[in-house]
Amino acid sequence: MSLLYVHENNIQNKIRENYNGRKAELEEFYLKEYLPTRLKIEDHSFNENSVDEFKNMTKEVNEYRRKLSAFANKYDIKSQSKFESTFLEELSVYLFENFDEIKNEEFGIYNKGIYAGLKIGNNKDVRFITKDVDFCIGKKAIIRIDNKPAQSIILPIVAVEVKTYLDATMFGEIKSSSKTIRSASPSSQTYVLMGYKSIKDEHIIASRQDATLSEMFCLQDNENDDIHWEVLYEYWKEIKNCIKSISVPNQVNTHGKLLRID
C-alpha cells in the first residue's frame, strides 16, 4: 500500500511546474534536505517507552522546519501553496506508518473519500456522502446498495484535521466536519493537530462540554516556538490507544470496569 507523503508530493509538483522559476533550487532542496530528513525520521522506532526516540525525532523535525521556512522566504514561496503546511500533515504518516494494523494492510492511511453518510439522489437512488480530511486511518469496505454496482468506501477509525494555526473560523468548520463524520461512523474518533492556537480559550473550554471532537493537540506555544516533543508523544499514544481499542474483545466482565478495558 502506498503511503500519503503529501509534503513530498507538494515539492515534486512544484519541481514539475517550475514554481517561480526555481526548479533547480527545489530539486536541490528535495535531494539534500527533504529526503535525508525523512529517512532519519522514519528510522526511529516508536513505542510507549521510547521517549528518546520522540525527542530525537522532534529535534529533526524542528531543524527541517527552520530550513523549510528559510527556503520559502528566500524564494518567495507563498503560504497558499502549502509548501510548509504539508510537512505538518506528513508527520502523522511518519508516526503511524509502522503500526502493525497499517503494515499488514488491515487498515490504511487515507485523506480523500472518507465516508460521511448517505443521501437519496435526484433519481431516488442512494448515494454515498464523502469528505476529505488531512489524515485518516480507516478501513476500506465494499458496499452494494440495491442492484447498483458495488462501491468502495473508507470507514474512518481516526480522522485528523491538521492546521498550522487554528482560529475561530477554522474551528467552527472543523467541528461541523467532525460532527458529520462521527454521526455517520459512531465508532470513529476525530482530532485536531495544530501548530499553535489563535483562538480564545473560551472556545476550547466550551468544547470540553460536548463530544464533537475527541481531542485537540497544540504543538507550539506560539508561531515562533519549536514543536514540543511531549505533544507528539501524547498524540502518538492517543492514536495508538484508539487503534488498539478497535480490537478489544466483545466480552463483558462479571465485575470491575465494564465499559473501558485497558
Side-chain angles (χ1 to χ4, degrees):
M1 180 188 68
S2 60
L3 294 170
L4 295 173
Y5 295 108
V6 290
H7 182 55
E8 178 183 39
N9 292 340
N10 186 281
I11 298 174
Q12 290 181 333
N13 285 337
K14 285 178 171 55
I15 292 172
R16 283 191 290 269
E17 297 166 2
N18 193 20
Y19 185 91
N20 284 357
R22 297 296 181 178
K23 179 178 180 180
E25 290 86 348
L26 285 159
E27 286 179 333
E28 182 178 22
F29 182 85
Y30 174 77
L31 292 173
K32 292 187 176 181
E33 301 296 348
Y34 170 75
L35 281 181
T37 298
R38 177 172 131 188
L39 290 173
K40 284 192 295 184
I41 292 174
E42 292 188 312
D43 194 46
H44 291 291
S45 179
F46 301 120
N47 61 66
E48 288 83 351
N49 301 314
S50 62
V51 170
D52 286 342
E53 296 283 352
F54 284 94
K55 289 181 179 179
N56 292 332
M57 179 247 195
T58 307
K59 181 180 179 181
E60 292 156 3
V61 165
N62 285 324
E63 288 176 353
Y64 178 75
R65 292 180 78 221
R66 284 189 282 272
K67 294 175 182 177
L68 188 64
S69 180
F71 186 91
N73 290 332
K74 182 177 181 179
Y75 295 113
D76 194 29
I77 300 180
K78 305 299 183 184
S79 60
Q80 293 87 341
S81 74
K82 297 188 175 182
F83 182 65
E84 296 180 67
S85 63
T86 49
F87 181 61
L88 205 58
E89 295 178 32
E90 198 167 283
L91 285 184
S92 290
V93 176
Y94 303 150
L95 288 169
F96 309 127
E97 64 185 346
N98 287 319
F99 281 179
D100 290 339
E101 295 86 352
I102 302 297
K103 290 195 295 184
N104 65 25
E105 300 189 9
E106 180 181 0
F107 302 146
I109 292 176
Y110 308 96
N111 63 0
K112 296 184 182 299
I114 309 307
Y115 175 71
L118 296 169
K119 67 178 180 180
I120 297 178
N122 294 333
N123 297 323
K124 298 182 181 179
D125 56 333
V126 178
R127 299 181 182 180
F128 292 105
I129 301 170
T130 62
K131 295 186 70 68
D132 294 345
V133 299
D134 293 322
F135 178 82
C136 172
I137 296 176
K139 185 174 181 62
K140 185 174 288 189
I142 305 299
I143 305 295
R144 184 189 302 274
I145 297 178
D146 297 330
N147 296 320
K148 302 292 183 181
Q151 298 184 58
S152 174
I153 64 170
I154 307 301
L155 295 172
I157 299 168
V158 168
V160 184
E161 291 292 345
V162 183
K163 300 296 180 185
T164 302
Y165 67 93
L166 184 72
D167 62 21
T169 300
M170 295 176 189
F171 192 37
E173 294 170 352
I174 286 172
K175 289 202 296 182
S176 176
S177 175
S178 174
K179 185 176 181 179
T180 299
I181 289 173
R182 298 190 76 178
S183 294
S185 300
S187 62
S188 64
Q189 302 294 319
T190 54
Y191 297 92
V192 179
L193 180 69
M194 74 186 85
Y196 62 97
K197 58 184 176 71
S198 181
I199 187 174
K200 292 182 178 179
D201 290 347
E202 288 81 358
H203 293 282
I204 308 296
I205 294 170
S207 291
R208 294 172 179 170
Q209 309 305 316
D210 62 48
T212 303
L213 288 164
S214 303
E215 187 53 271
M216 303 172 68
F217 294 89
C218 188
L219 296 167
Q220 304 161 244
D221 288 330
N222 54 62
E223 181 178 4
N224 299 314
D225 190 26
D226 279 344
I227 288 174
H228 292 252
W229 72 265
E230 301 95 329
V231 186
L232 284 179
Y233 179 52
E234 290 299 323
Y235 175 55
W236 182 89
K237 288 196 297 182
E238 174 76 21
I239 304 304
K240 177 72 172 179
N241 289 334
C242 181
I243 299 301
K244 180 181 176 182
S245 70
I246 298 296
S247 303
V248 170
N250 291 323
Q251 62 185 42
V252 176
N253 295 333
T254 56
H255 65 279
K257 294 171 66 175
L258 302 182
L259 295 183
R260 302 187 185 279
I261 303 174
D262 296 329

